[in-house]
Amino acid sequence: MKNLLKLSLAAAAVVTAFGVQAQEFPSKDKTITLVVPYAAGGPTDRVARDLAEALRKPLGVSVVVDNTAGAGSTIGTAKAARATPDGYTLLLNHISMSTMPTMYRKLSFNVANDFEYLGIINDVPMTLIAKPSMPANNYKELSAWINQNKGKINLGNAGQGSASHLCGLMFQSALQVDMTPVPYKGTAPAITDLIGGQIDLLCDQTTNTTSQIEGKKVKAYAVTTTKRLTTPALKDLPTLAESGVKDFNVTIWHGVYAPKGTPADVLKKINEAIKVALKDPEFIKKQEGLGAVVATDKRIEPAEHKQFVQSEINKWGAVIKAAGTYAD
């Protein structure tokens, strides 16, 4: 009887301890790690650091960014998928979550099944820009220049699977014009060569291009959204859709994920903290400064987030397969 009593008390203690631990997430003596599968200093890293600070307030603990870059974000994403599912390791990734399943024919993780979805954070528009010596002064003239120079156009990108690479693929598909891809190790060297005239065109995020456009270091022709932007430096740019490129709509969205199996109550607390962060005036101001639009629609809900990513997988899968461009 004594042994049985001891076992019962021990079991009760374990249950109580587990219950307290679950209720106390996040523990005040722990840090939450936000894995970013890109190098420090890039646009996604900047979003992550702003978000980490905004999440710190409602969660009451430090949120640190872990840059684990490489292989088109697959290394950092795999690291997050393998992490202990306790809520202390999260992933911030962008549109790559919808392109990896097609771009990489062999992955060590499954985007749909190995993650818990926690909500979309923002949307980042893209801009079509050209070298400063480009003779075209508007999109109509650029379109004519493209038709006159088929087979001779160099289209830069920040590397296979990058946002600029994907936008370039869709742009070529929409125009039914093949351009020579020129991949770089990141956006910075691509823009440097664009400014220097080594490449002709680039389609990249406003987080990377706005200051270059504002400084008149490059020529800008259009934005990739369905509506014109309100950012002062970009407000006069037409959309590609209104310029005649039918149904063209590309934005680079960012979302937060947790490893599959993270407890439901923990996921709920994180999602609630994300919703608070997205309403933080300081976070909104910083995102607007990057040219990003903070999410306010249903995609901030986990189920809607997952459904949206699946629709994006279908969308980009068709574009990538049509181009026959794979990363492995």
Side-chain angles (χ1 to χ4, degrees), residues 294-314:
V294 175
T296 57
D297 56 274
K298 291 181 179 179
R299 295 173 303 159
I300 62 175
E301 300 293 346
E304 295 288 342
H305 176 190
K306 187 169 186 177
Q307 184 178 337
F308 170 71
V309 172
Q310 185 56 57
S311 70
E312 288 283 281
I313 289 173
N314 297 338

Side-chain angles (χ1 to χ4, degrees), residues 64-82:
V64 298
V65 173
D66 173 12
N67 296 99
T68 303
S73 86
T74 61
I75 294 175
T77 304
K79 178 179 181 179
R82 295 191 302 265

Side-chain angles (χ1 to χ4, degrees), residues 122-136:
N122 66 12
D123 292 288
V124 183
M126 302 193 78
T127 47
L128 179 64
I129 58 177
K131 59 187 179 183
S133 61
M134 177 66 70

Side-chain angles (χ1 to χ4, degrees), residues 165 169-170 172-173 178 316-326:
H165 177 223
L169 287 179
M170 184 165 279
Q172 292 175 83
S173 176
D178 289 331
W316 287 107
V319 173
I320 294 166
K321 288 175 181 176
T325 303
Y326 301 98

Side-chain angles (χ1 to χ4, degrees), residues 96-302:
S96 176
M97 292 296 278
S98 66
T99 60
M100 285 187 289
T102 307
M103 187 74 71
Y104 292 85
R105 289 164 289 188
K106 292 182 180 179
L107 286 173
S108 63
F109 55 87
N110 184 292
V111 169
N113 300 327
D114 291 344
F115 293 95
E116 306 287 356
Y117 288 64
L118 286 163
I120 292 292
I121 301 303
N122 66 12
D123 292 288
V124 183
M126 302 193 78
T127 47
L128 179 64
I129 58 177
K131 59 187 179 183
S133 61
M134 177 66 70
N137 293 310
N138 52 53
Y139 184 79
K140 183 178 179 180
E141 292 180 6
L142 178 67
S143 180
W145 180 88
I146 289 172
N147 288 326
Q148 293 165 6
N149 289 276
K150 289 180 179 179
K152 299 184 291 184
I153 302 170
N154 292 321
L155 178 63
N157 66 65
Q160 190 110 352
S162 66
S164 52
H165 177 223
L166 297 169
C167 185
L169 287 179
M170 184 165 279
F171 185 59
Q172 292 175 83
S173 176
L175 297 185
Q176 295 187 328
V177 174
D178 289 331
M179 302 179 189
T180 302
V182 183
Y184 291 84
K185 292 183 178 180
T187 299
I191 289 182
T192 297
D193 272 10
L194 184 73
I195 293 171
Q198 281 76 41
I199 54 175
D200 301 310
L201 298 171
L202 179 69
C203 182
D204 209 351
Q205 303 174 62
T206 54
T207 47
N208 296 320
T209 63
T210 301
S211 62
Q212 309 298 336
I213 294 169
E214 198 169 24
K216 301 188 184 305
K217 294 180 179 179
V218 298
K219 282 194 170 181
Y221 294 94
V223 294
T224 64
T225 48
T226 56
K227 296 180 181 179
R228 291 195 182 202
L229 304 179
T230 58
T231 307
L234 308 174
K235 64 182 178 63
D236 294 327
L237 289 178
T239 68
L240 278 170
E242 72 178 272
S243 300
V245 187
K246 189 178 179 182
D247 299 326
F248 199 97
N249 179 25
V250 179
T251 57
I252 305 305
W253 41 266
H254 293 84
V256 179
Y257 309 80
K260 189 70 174 181
T262 301
D265 59 330
V266 172
L267 294 174
K268 184 180 179 184
K269 286 186 178 181
I270 297 171
N271 177 252
E272 288 172 349
I274 288 172
K275 290 175 181 176
V276 172
L278 297 186
K279 293 179 180 178
D280 185 322
E282 188 64 24
F283 177 73
I284 294 171
K285 182 179 178 181
K286 288 179 179 178
Q287 293 304 288
E288 288 176 345
L290 295 175
V293 180
V294 175
T296 57
D297 56 274
K298 291 181 179 179
R299 295 173 303 159
I300 62 175
E301 300 293 346

Side-chain angles (χ1 to χ4, degrees), residues 9-24:
L9 290 172
V14 170
V15 171
T16 301
F18 179 81
V20 170
Q21 185 179 26
Q23 289 173 3
E24 289 183 352

